[in-house]
mmCIF file of all heavy atoms in Angstrom:
data_model
loop_
_atom_site.group_PDB
_atom_site.id
_atom_site.type_symbol
_atom_site.label_atom_id
_atom_site.label_comp_id
_atom_site.label_asym_id
_atom_site.label_seq_id
_atom_site.Cartn_x
_atom_site.Cartn_y
_atom_site.Cartn_z
ATOM 1 N N THR A 132 99.646 82.551 111.570
ATOM 2 C CA THR A 132 98.254 82.517 111.964
ATOM 3 C C THR A 132 98.051 83.427 113.167
ATOM 4 O O THR A 132 98.769 83.310 114.165
ATOM 5 C CB THR A 132 97.799 81.097 112.319
ATOM 6 O OG1 THR A 132 97.986 80.232 111.195
ATOM 7 C CG2 THR A 132 96.322 81.088 112.708
ATOM 8 N N ILE A 133 97.069 84.324 113.071
ATOM 9 C CA ILE A 133 96.766 85.222 114.175
ATOM 10 C C ILE A 133 95.488 84.757 114.856
ATOM 11 O O ILE A 133 94.544 84.316 114.200
ATOM 12 C CB ILE A 133 96.655 86.684 113.695
ATOM 13 C CG1 ILE A 133 96.601 87.644 114.883
ATOM 14 C CG2 ILE A 133 95.450 86.884 112.780
ATOM 15 C CD1 ILE A 133 96.779 89.113 114.486
ATOM 16 N N SER A 134 95.459 84.847 116.174
ATOM 17 C CA SER A 134 94.295 84.433 116.940
ATOM 18 C C SER A 134 94.202 85.271 118.205
ATOM 19 O O SER A 134 95.157 85.955 118.586
ATOM 20 C CB SER A 134 94.362 82.946 117.291
ATOM 21 O OG SER A 134 95.500 82.654 118.081
ATOM 22 N N SER A 135 93.045 85.222 118.864
ATOM 23 C CA SER A 135 92.850 86.003 120.078
ATOM 24 C C SER A 135 91.980 85.248 121.064
ATOM 25 O O SER A 135 91.203 84.362 120.690
ATOM 26 C CB SER A 135 92.220 87.365 119.766
ATOM 27 O OG SER A 135 90.907 87.217 119.260
ATOM 28 N N ASP A 136 92.116 85.602 122.322
ATOM 29 C CA ASP A 136 91.306 85.050 123.402
ATOM 30 C C ASP A 136 90.867 86.224 124.254
ATOM 31 O O ASP A 136 91.665 86.785 125.009
ATOM 32 C CB ASP A 136 92.106 84.042 124.220
ATOM 33 C CG ASP A 136 91.277 83.358 125.288
ATOM 34 O OD1 ASP A 136 90.230 83.896 125.691
ATOM 35 O OD2 ASP A 136 91.674 82.258 125.720
ATOM 36 N N ASN A 137 89.601 86.598 124.126
ATOM 37 C CA ASN A 137 89.121 87.783 124.820
ATOM 38 C C ASN A 137 89.081 87.609 126.334
ATOM 39 O O ASN A 137 89.202 88.583 127.076
ATOM 40 C CB ASN A 137 87.730 88.172 124.316
ATOM 41 C CG ASN A 137 87.760 88.754 122.922
ATOM 42 O OD1 ASN A 137 88.798 88.756 122.260
ATOM 43 N ND2 ASN A 137 86.626 89.248 122.469
ATOM 44 N N THR A 138 88.908 86.371 126.805
ATOM 45 C CA THR A 138 88.903 86.139 128.244
ATOM 46 C C THR A 138 90.264 86.407 128.854
ATOM 47 O O THR A 138 90.367 86.794 130.020
ATOM 48 C CB THR A 138 88.458 84.711 128.570
ATOM 49 O OG1 THR A 138 89.392 83.768 128.042
ATOM 50 C CG2 THR A 138 87.084 84.435 127.987
ATOM 51 N N LYS A 139 91.316 86.209 128.075
ATOM 52 C CA LYS A 139 92.679 86.479 128.520
ATOM 53 C C LYS A 139 93.195 87.813 128.004
ATOM 54 O O LYS A 139 94.288 88.235 128.383
ATOM 55 C CB LYS A 139 93.617 85.362 128.080
ATOM 56 C CG LYS A 139 93.266 83.997 128.644
ATOM 57 C CD LYS A 139 94.237 82.933 128.154
ATOM 58 C CE LYS A 139 93.898 81.577 128.726
ATOM 59 N NZ LYS A 139 94.833 80.528 128.250
ATOM 60 N N ASN A 140 92.429 88.460 127.118
ATOM 61 C CA ASN A 140 92.815 89.728 126.507
ATOM 62 C C ASN A 140 94.202 89.627 125.876
ATOM 63 O O ASN A 140 95.069 90.489 126.064
ATOM 64 C CB ASN A 140 92.766 90.874 127.521
ATOM 65 C CG ASN A 140 92.011 92.081 127.000
ATOM 66 O OD1 ASN A 140 91.007 91.942 126.292
ATOM 67 N ND2 ASN A 140 92.480 93.278 127.344
ATOM 68 N N THR A 141 94.386 88.567 125.107
ATOM 69 C CA THR A 141 95.682 88.268 124.517
ATOM 70 C C THR A 141 95.524 87.902 123.047
ATOM 71 O O THR A 141 94.556 87.226 122.671
ATOM 72 C CB THR A 141 96.375 87.112 125.261
ATOM 73 O OG1 THR A 141 96.576 87.486 126.630
ATOM 74 C CG2 THR A 141 97.721 86.783 124.637
ATOM 75 N N VAL A 142 96.464 88.358 122.234
ATOM 76 C CA VAL A 142 96.537 88.009 120.820
ATOM 77 C C VAL A 142 97.826 87.236 120.585
ATOM 78 O O VAL A 142 98.881 87.606 121.113
ATOM 79 C CB VAL A 142 96.481 89.260 119.929
ATOM 80 C CG1 VAL A 142 96.751 88.897 118.468
ATOM 81 C CG2 VAL A 142 95.131 89.940 120.053
ATOM 82 N N TRP A 143 97.755 86.168 119.810
ATOM 83 C CA TRP A 143 98.921 85.352 119.470
ATOM 84 C C TRP A 143 99.202 85.433 117.981
ATOM 85 O O TRP A 143 98.300 85.564 117.154
ATOM 86 C CB TRP A 143 98.698 83.891 119.849
ATOM 87 C CG TRP A 143 98.625 83.635 121.315
ATOM 88 C CD1 TRP A 143 99.661 83.365 122.163
ATOM 89 C CD2 TRP A 143 97.436 83.620 122.113
ATOM 90 N NE1 TRP A 143 99.193 83.177 123.438
ATOM 91 C CE2 TRP A 143 97.838 83.323 123.439
ATOM 92 C CE3 TRP A 143 96.086 83.823 121.831
ATOM 93 C CZ2 TRP A 143 96.924 83.228 124.485
ATOM 94 C CZ3 TRP A 143 95.173 83.730 122.876
ATOM 95 C CH2 TRP A 143 95.601 83.433 124.179
ATOM 96 N N LEU A 144 100.467 85.345 117.638
ATOM 97 C CA LEU A 144 100.903 85.206 116.263
ATOM 98 C C LEU A 144 101.727 83.924 116.176
ATOM 99 O O LEU A 144 102.867 83.882 116.641
ATOM 100 C CB LEU A 144 101.725 86.408 115.802
ATOM 101 C CG LEU A 144 102.164 86.388 114.341
ATOM 102 C CD1 LEU A 144 100.948 86.511 113.419
ATOM 103 C CD2 LEU A 144 103.159 87.505 114.054
ATOM 104 N N GLN A 145 101.129 82.880 115.606
ATOM 105 C CA GLN A 145 101.808 81.610 115.445
ATOM 106 C C GLN A 145 102.546 81.618 114.116
ATOM 107 O O GLN A 145 101.933 81.813 113.070
ATOM 108 C CB GLN A 145 100.811 80.455 115.500
ATOM 109 C CG GLN A 145 101.440 79.085 115.433
ATOM 110 C CD GLN A 145 100.425 77.959 115.568
ATOM 111 O OE1 GLN A 145 99.255 78.194 115.853
ATOM 112 N NE2 GLN A 145 100.862 76.739 115.372
ATOM 113 N N MET A 146 103.846 81.396 114.170
ATOM 114 C CA MET A 146 104.694 81.470 112.993
ATOM 115 C C MET A 146 105.340 80.118 112.748
ATOM 116 O O MET A 146 105.875 79.498 113.665
ATOM 117 C CB MET A 146 105.777 82.540 113.167
ATOM 118 C CG MET A 146 105.237 83.907 113.561
ATOM 119 S SD MET A 146 106.535 85.162 113.691
ATOM 120 C CE MET A 146 107.458 84.521 115.096
ATOM 121 N N SER A 147 105.306 79.673 111.505
ATOM 122 C CA SER A 147 105.951 78.433 111.108
ATOM 123 C C SER A 147 106.674 78.649 109.787
ATOM 124 O O SER A 147 106.455 79.636 109.099
ATOM 125 C CB SER A 147 104.934 77.296 110.986
ATOM 126 O OG SER A 147 103.969 77.575 109.988
ATOM 127 N N GLY A 148 107.531 77.702 109.444
ATOM 128 C CA GLY A 148 108.310 77.845 108.222
ATOM 129 C C GLY A 148 109.114 79.130 108.194
ATOM 130 O O GLY A 148 109.197 79.792 107.152
ATOM 131 N N LEU A 149 109.707 79.470 109.316
ATOM 132 C CA LEU A 149 110.406 80.748 109.434
ATOM 133 C C LEU A 149 111.617 80.812 108.515
ATOM 134 O O LEU A 149 112.304 79.813 108.288
ATOM 135 C CB LEU A 149 110.818 80.991 110.879
ATOM 136 C CG LEU A 149 109.667 81.371 111.814
ATOM 137 C CD1 LEU A 149 110.085 81.246 113.273
ATOM 138 C CD2 LEU A 149 109.194 82.790 111.516
ATOM 139 N N LYS A 150 111.853 82.007 108.000
ATOM 140 C CA LYS A 150 112.947 82.279 107.081
ATOM 141 C C LYS A 150 113.844 83.357 107.662
ATOM 142 O O LYS A 150 113.402 84.161 108.479
ATOM 143 C CB LYS A 150 112.400 82.742 105.726
ATOM 144 C CG LYS A 150 111.371 81.808 105.107
ATOM 145 C CD LYS A 150 110.768 82.420 103.854
ATOM 146 C CE LYS A 150 109.710 81.515 103.252
ATOM 147 N NZ LYS A 150 109.105 82.119 102.038
ATOM 148 N N PRO A 151 115.109 83.410 107.241
ATOM 149 C CA PRO A 151 115.992 84.476 107.729
ATOM 150 C C PRO A 151 115.425 85.868 107.500
ATOM 151 O O PRO A 151 115.672 86.771 108.311
ATOM 152 C CB PRO A 151 117.281 84.247 106.926
ATOM 153 C CG PRO A 151 117.294 82.779 106.671
ATOM 154 C CD PRO A 151 115.849 82.411 106.437
ATOM 155 N N GLU A 152 114.659 86.070 106.447
ATOM 156 C CA GLU A 152 114.058 87.365 106.168
ATOM 157 C C GLU A 152 112.997 87.759 107.185
ATOM 158 O O GLU A 152 112.566 88.905 107.217
ATOM 159 C CB GLU A 152 113.450 87.389 104.757
ATOM 160 C CG GLU A 152 112.283 86.430 104.576
ATOM 161 C CD GLU A 152 111.874 86.268 103.122
ATOM 162 O OE1 GLU A 152 112.697 85.740 102.346
ATOM 163 O OE2 GLU A 152 110.756 86.673 102.771
ATOM 164 N N ASP A 153 112.562 86.813 108.021
ATOM 165 C CA ASP A 153 111.616 87.112 109.089
ATOM 166 C C ASP A 153 112.295 87.712 110.313
ATOM 167 O O ASP A 153 111.606 88.130 111.252
ATOM 168 C CB ASP A 153 110.860 85.849 109.510
ATOM 169 C CG ASP A 153 109.983 85.293 108.403
ATOM 170 O OD1 ASP A 153 109.311 86.089 107.719
ATOM 171 O OD2 ASP A 153 109.969 84.056 108.230
ATOM 172 N N THR A 154 113.618 87.737 110.328
ATOM 173 C CA THR A 154 114.350 88.294 111.456
ATOM 174 C C THR A 154 114.025 89.775 111.617
ATOM 175 O O THR A 154 114.188 90.565 110.689
ATOM 176 C CB THR A 154 115.856 88.105 111.264
ATOM 177 O OG1 THR A 154 116.167 86.707 111.261
ATOM 178 C CG2 THR A 154 116.633 88.782 112.384
ATOM 179 N N ALA A 155 113.561 90.153 112.805
ATOM 180 C CA ALA A 155 113.159 91.529 113.066
ATOM 181 C C ALA A 155 112.698 91.643 114.510
ATOM 182 O O ALA A 155 112.535 90.643 115.207
ATOM 183 C CB ALA A 155 112.024 91.960 112.127
ATOM 184 N N THR A 156 112.481 92.870 114.941
ATOM 185 C CA THR A 156 111.776 93.123 116.181
ATOM 186 C C THR A 156 110.287 93.204 115.865
ATOM 187 O O THR A 156 109.882 93.952 114.972
ATOM 188 C CB THR A 156 112.247 94.421 116.849
ATOM 189 O OG1 THR A 156 113.645 94.330 117.128
ATOM 190 C CG2 THR A 156 111.506 94.653 118.159
ATOM 191 N N TYR A 157 109.490 92.434 116.580
ATOM 192 C CA TYR A 157 108.057 92.362 116.324
ATOM 193 C C TYR A 157 107.304 93.161 117.381
ATOM 194 O O TYR A 157 107.551 93.020 118.582
ATOM 195 C CB TYR A 157 107.582 90.909 116.326
ATOM 196 C CG TYR A 157 107.951 90.159 115.067
ATOM 197 C CD1 TYR A 157 109.279 89.825 114.803
ATOM 198 C CD2 TYR A 157 106.981 89.797 114.135
ATOM 199 C CE1 TYR A 157 109.628 89.165 113.641
ATOM 200 C CE2 TYR A 157 107.325 89.126 112.979
ATOM 201 C CZ TYR A 157 108.646 88.812 112.727
ATOM 202 O OH TYR A 157 108.979 88.143 111.571
ATOM 203 N N TYR A 158 106.374 93.991 116.925
ATOM 204 C CA TYR A 158 105.585 94.847 117.793
ATOM 205 C C TYR A 158 104.100 94.564 117.604
ATOM 206 O O TYR A 158 103.657 94.290 116.490
ATOM 207 C CB TYR A 158 105.819 96.330 117.466
ATOM 208 C CG TYR A 158 107.248 96.796 117.558
ATOM 209 C CD1 TYR A 158 108.102 96.691 116.469
ATOM 210 C CD2 TYR A 158 107.731 97.362 118.732
ATOM 211 C CE1 TYR A 158 109.406 97.130 116.540
ATOM 212 C CE2 TYR A 158 109.043 97.808 118.809
ATOM 213 C CZ TYR A 158 109.876 97.691 117.715
ATOM 214 O OH TYR A 158 111.174 98.136 117.782
ATOM 215 N N CYS A 159 103.337 94.664 118.669
ATOM 216 C CA CYS A 159 101.891 94.700 118.528
ATOM 217 C C CYS A 159 101.412 96.124 118.772
ATOM 218 O O CYS A 159 102.056 96.901 119.480
ATOM 219 C CB CYS A 159 101.178 93.701 119.454
ATOM 220 S SG CYS A 159 101.435 93.931 121.224
ATOM 221 N N ALA A 160 100.292 96.470 118.153
ATOM 222 C CA ALA A 160 99.813 97.839 118.192
ATOM 223 C C ALA A 160 98.292 97.871 118.101
ATOM 224 O O ALA A 160 97.664 96.930 117.604
ATOM 225 C CB ALA A 160 100.416 98.661 117.046
ATOM 226 N N SER A 161 97.705 98.969 118.567
ATOM 227 C CA SER A 161 96.260 99.140 118.529
ATOM 228 C C SER A 161 95.930 100.609 118.292
ATOM 229 O O SER A 161 96.652 101.493 118.762
ATOM 230 C CB SER A 161 95.616 98.663 119.836
ATOM 231 O OG SER A 161 94.206 98.742 119.779
#
């Protein structure tokens, strides 16, 4: 689930049910 808070200028990525295939370096971009 992705969400944002403009007052904090922050974006979150909430991850659940993680699998070994999710292993990686995660980057945010604009």
